[in-house]
Amino acid sequence: MSAARLSGRDLAAALVVVLVWGVNFVAMKFALRDFTPFQLGAARFTFAFLPLALFIRPPQVPWKWVVLYGLFQGVGQFGILFIALKIGMTAALASVLLQTQVFFTALFGFVLLQERASRPLQAGMVLAALGLGCFGYNYASPGAASSTTVAGFALTLCAAAMWAASNIVARQLRKVSSHYSTIAFVVWSGGVAILPFLALSWAFDNPAIRWQWLEAGWTSWLSIGYLGWVATVVGYSLWTGLLKRHPANRVSPFGLGVPVVGLAAGMGVLGETVTPWQWAGIALLVAALACVMLGGRIGQR
């Protein structure tokens, strides 16, 4: 792992990941016009699994970790997020709220693994709590207009918690087997999510619209291809490569750009609006993330 500054090529890779993952939420909104949340989950992970699974061998790890990660990160995180985006969450705000996974991961790490939170993380969690309070007050204040719903807000936080649970699985897996292909793990754990999504679609989707996806427009299929191949395969491949070549504290600050791009894309492409209280919550959450990602480096200096 290199301690040097990011080269021009690595800097370009980091910026590509930020752009790809930020636009990711707009693609979800487009696809949900023709697909139900469960159908979108099945399609997304089918695209991510095939045809790569024909060329990439399964990761050399116990299968229970592959299944757990696929259920938490695949069915849990994205299944709940797709429902939230469908019933009352904008792409712009989802890109911000999903980053609370950093703080859910710290909470789960403390409860399950007895990991102590650093000073910057503690400060960040306080700022994040204040930010979520601003979002909550937006719904409680009389006469406040919002393009999101309480249910959509709550489900997005649940999706962030599922992402955090998958982080705990990945952290435990490193203790068991540190030498495995990350791309193989992402591809095959994604394959785990396909059948549960199909089962959920068959059980809960309205039979009258169960086959509606066959008439989906080209924008929806293009969005699914983007979600499965670009956001998942390309995004995770570039990000993993950066983490292998550089320390995490040098790479992770680029994650702050994802909600910025997500906000710009949601407002610019979809015409989404943000209320003043939501802007206050966004500012506090971004400050909380900056505190966690940059606080340690500033303290060392």
Side-chain angles (χ1 to χ4, degrees), residues 43-172:
R44 178 197 189 279
F45 286 101
T46 298
F47 273 56
F49 184 66
L50 296 174
L52 291 177
L54 301 177
F55 308 98
I56 298 177
R57 294 182 178 180
Q60 300 300 309
V61 299
W63 272 99
K64 71 175 183 177
W65 299 108
V66 179
V67 172
L68 282 174
Y69 191 85
L71 293 177
F72 281 125
Q73 193 261 358
V75 182
Q77 177 191 340
F78 286 99
I80 296 174
L81 177 61
F82 292 160
I83 296 174
L85 290 170
K86 187 75 172 181
I87 69 172
M89 178 50 59
T90 61
L93 292 183
S95 67
V96 178
L97 290 173
L98 206 60
Q99 304 308 315
T100 57
Q101 57 87 15
V102 173
F103 309 105
F104 281 114
T105 301
L107 179 61
F108 293 162
F110 174 76
V111 173
L112 300 175
L113 307 178
Q114 288 75 52
E115 296 179 349
R116 297 188 62 182
S118 64
R119 290 282 181 86
L121 181 55
Q122 293 174 15
M125 293 183 77
V126 172
L127 290 173
L130 293 173
L132 293 179
C134 291
F135 281 105
Y137 187 79
N138 179 78
Y139 299 111
S141 57
S146 176
S147 53
T148 66
T149 63
V150 175
F153 172 73
L155 286 173
T156 305
L157 292 181
C158 289
M162 288 294 103
W163 186 355
S166 70
N167 290 339
I168 298 298
V169 171
R171 191 172 297 175
Q172 291 299 97

Side-chain angles (χ1 to χ4, degrees), residues 27-28 31-32 35-45 82 224 227:
M28 294 177 192
L32 285 169
F35 289 78
T36 68
F38 297 137
Q39 289 172 346
L40 178 56
R44 178 197 189 279
F45 286 101
F82 292 160
I224 290 175
L227 293 171

Side-chain angles (χ1 to χ4, degrees), residues 171-188:
R171 191 172 297 175
Q172 291 299 97
L173 174 58
R174 292 191 192 101
K175 298 179 180 179
V176 178
S177 177
S178 58
H179 302 289
Y180 64 92
S181 170
T182 308
I183 300 304
F185 186 74
V186 170
V187 169
W188 284 87

Side-chain angles (χ1 to χ4, degrees), residues 241-264:
L242 290 170
L243 290 173
K244 284 184 176 180
R245 292 189 294 273
H246 301 278
N249 62 0
R250 187 153 293 160
V251 176
S252 60
F254 286 95
L256 290 170
V258 174
V260 175
V261 174
L263 277 167

